[in-house]
Amino acid sequence: MKKDRIKTELLVHDLKNPIAVIEASIDSLIRNAQRESSLTDRQIRALSRVLRNSKIAMSLVNDILEVGRSNEGIFNKDKFKCYEYITFPFIEIFDLIDPETAEKINYSDNLADFVKTLESHNIRLNMDETAWSKEIVLDIRKVRQVFRNLLSNAVKYRKKEIVLDISLDDMNLIISIMDDGKGIEKEYQRKIFEKYFQLGDERNFCVRGHGLGLAGALVLVEDMGGEMTLESDKGKGARFTVRLPLDEQ
Ligand SMILES: Nc1ncnc2c1ncn2[C@@H]1O[C@H](COP(=O)(O)OP(=O)(O)OP(=O)(O)O)[C@@H](O)[C@H]1O
Ligand SMILES: [Mg+2]
C-alpha cells in the first residue's frame, strides 16, 4: 500500500473517535430524557435525528475504509434477507431530506408498505415478495454502499421519477436504477466512473458532491465479482444496472 494512502486512511479512521463520542452522548441524553420525561417529544425527535445522522457519518467513514479494504481483498460475507440490503440506503438518504419517511422505512419490513412509501416520493419499485424476503449471502456493507451511491445520484439528477427493478435469479442479485434526468452523453459514459470526474452542471445543487461515488461503487462491484452497466442518452435519463453474484448459502 502506498504511503500517502495509508496517511489518508488513518485520518479517516481517526474520525471514528469523535463521531463515536457524539453518538454515545446523544444516545445517553435521549435515554435520560425518556426516563425522566425532561424533554418534549419534539426535542427528542430532533435529538434522534442527530443520533441517526451521526450513525450515517460513522457509516460513511466505514465506507471509505471499506473501499481500502476491498482493494486489499478483504470481504465480510453474511446471510441477510434481501430487503435488509435494500432498505438501509433509503433510510440514509431520506434522513437528510425527509426524516419522517426515513423513520417510516426504518420501522417497516413489509414490501407493500415500502412500495407505498416510495411511491409517495415518485420512486417506483418493482420487486416480488419472494425476492424481498429471501436470504442471500453478500458483503452487506459493500452492497449498501454501492446502492446508496447510485440511488443518491438518481435522486440528485432525476427530473421527476425513479424506477427501480430488483430481482434475484439462482446466481445473482440484480439491481437496476433508472432516472428521467438529463442523462449522460456517450463520450462521458466511461469517464464518470473515474475518481473526481464530474460533468459541468448548470443546475444549482447546494451539495455537489466530490465525484467519488461512482468510482468507489465500481471498485466494490468489481471486487465482489459483479458488473455495473450504464445505459443512457443525453436528455433521456440514465439507467445503472448492477449484477452481483451470490455466494453459496
Ligand atoms: N443518474 C445520473 N444522471 C446524470 N448524471 C449522472 C448520474 N449519475 C452520475 N452522473 C454524473 O457522473 C458524475 C460522477 O458521479 P459520482 O457519483 O461519482 O459523483 P458525484 O455524485 O458528483 O459526487 P459524490 O458521489 O462524490 O457525492 C456526476 O458528477 C454527474 O455528472
Ligand atoms: Mg454521487
Side-chain angles (χ1 to χ4, degrees):
M1 211 192 295
K2 278 204 223 114
K3 221 178 183 176
D4 57 346
R5 215 186 94 205
I6 296 179
K7 256 194 247 161
T8 320
E9 288 208 352
L10 200 61
L11 271 178
V12 173
H13 176 266
D14 289 351
L15 276 173
K16 281 185 170 196
N17 249 331
I19 299 173
V21 174
I22 296 172
E23 208 174 299
S25 313
I26 300 282
D27 192 40
S28 93
L29 201 60
I30 294 174
R31 279 171 206 276
N32 287 340
Q34 278 166 338
R35 207 176 37 241
E36 296 159 8
S37 305
S38 51
L39 292 177
T40 63
D41 280 355
R42 215 169 141 198
Q43 287 168 326
I44 290 185
R45 270 207 304 280
L47 285 177
S48 305
R49 201 171 167 217
V50 175
L51 179 61
R52 268 205 309 274
N53 279 279
S54 66
K55 289 194 167 135
I56 291 173
M58 185 65 102
S59 79
L60 288 173
V61 165
N62 284 322
D63 280 358
I64 296 170
L65 298 175
E66 195 64 39
V67 174
R69 277 151 53 95
S70 186
N71 277 325
E72 303 294 316
I74 300 169
F75 295 91
N76 289 308
K77 293 184 179 176
D78 236 323
K79 198 188 269 187
F80 288 98
K81 293 201 167 161
C82 194
Y83 71 79
E84 295 178 85
Y85 295 87
I86 305 303
T87 50
F88 193 73
F90 280 101
I91 299 173
E92 293 179 295
I93 287 172
F94 276 117
D95 231 328
L96 302 171
I97 52 179
D98 178 1
E100 246 174 65
T101 298
E103 203 127 329
K104 233 194 249 172
I105 297 172
N106 198 13
Y107 292 112
S108 134
D109 57 3
N110 170 290
L111 175 60
D113 288 347
F114 185 59
V115 166
K116 222 154 90 204
T117 308
L118 294 187
E119 246 163 34
S120 65
H121 289 270
N122 282 321
I123 301 174
R124 190 142 45 87
L125 169 64
N126 300 312
M127 183 176 187
D128 66 39
E129 286 278 358
T130 327
W132 173 259
S133 50
K134 185 155 168 77
E135 288 191 321
I136 53 173
V137 178
L138 280 166
D139 189 324
I140 195 162
R141 206 189 274 281
K142 292 188 177 63
V143 177
R144 284 172 167 179
Q145 184 173 347
V146 168
F147 188 38
R148 188 187 60 240
N149 273 294
L150 294 176
L151 204 55
S152 77
N153 283 347
V155 168
K156 190 156 59 167
Y157 296 110
R158 72 172 161 179
K159 265 198 207 94
K160 218 177 131 220
E161 58 170 17
I162 296 172
V163 179
L164 289 173
D165 289 279
I166 300 176
S167 62
L168 284 173
D169 63 23
D170 287 345
M171 326 265 275
N172 304 284
L173 168 65
I174 300 152
I175 299 174
S176 137
I177 302 166
M178 187 167 79
D179 67 67
D180 60 353
K182 62 176 193 164
I184 301 143
E185 294 94 318
K186 289 267 179 301
E187 56 184 305
Y188 295 120
Q189 289 185 5
R190 245 169 209 284
K191 284 222 96 59
I192 57 163
F193 291 98
E194 288 173 15
K195 254 196 301 192
Y196 310 124
F197 182 83
Q198 298 183 293
L199 287 167
D201 201 337
E202 64 285 356
R203 277 177 273 177
N204 302 313
F205 293 107
C206 15
V207 185
R208 281 282 294 118
H210 298 92
L212 277 173
L214 281 177
L218 184 63
V219 165
L220 296 181
V221 168
E222 289 182 345
D223 287 351
M224 286 188 276
E227 57 184 20
M228 171 147 55
T229 53
L230 163 62
E231 298 152 75
S232 179
D233 271 318
K234 191 175 164 60
K236 289 193 184 149
R239 179 194 191 114
F240 289 84
T241 304
V242 172
R243 182 187 62 77
L244 296 169
L246 302 173
D247 241 45
E248 316 222 325
Q249 317 257 326

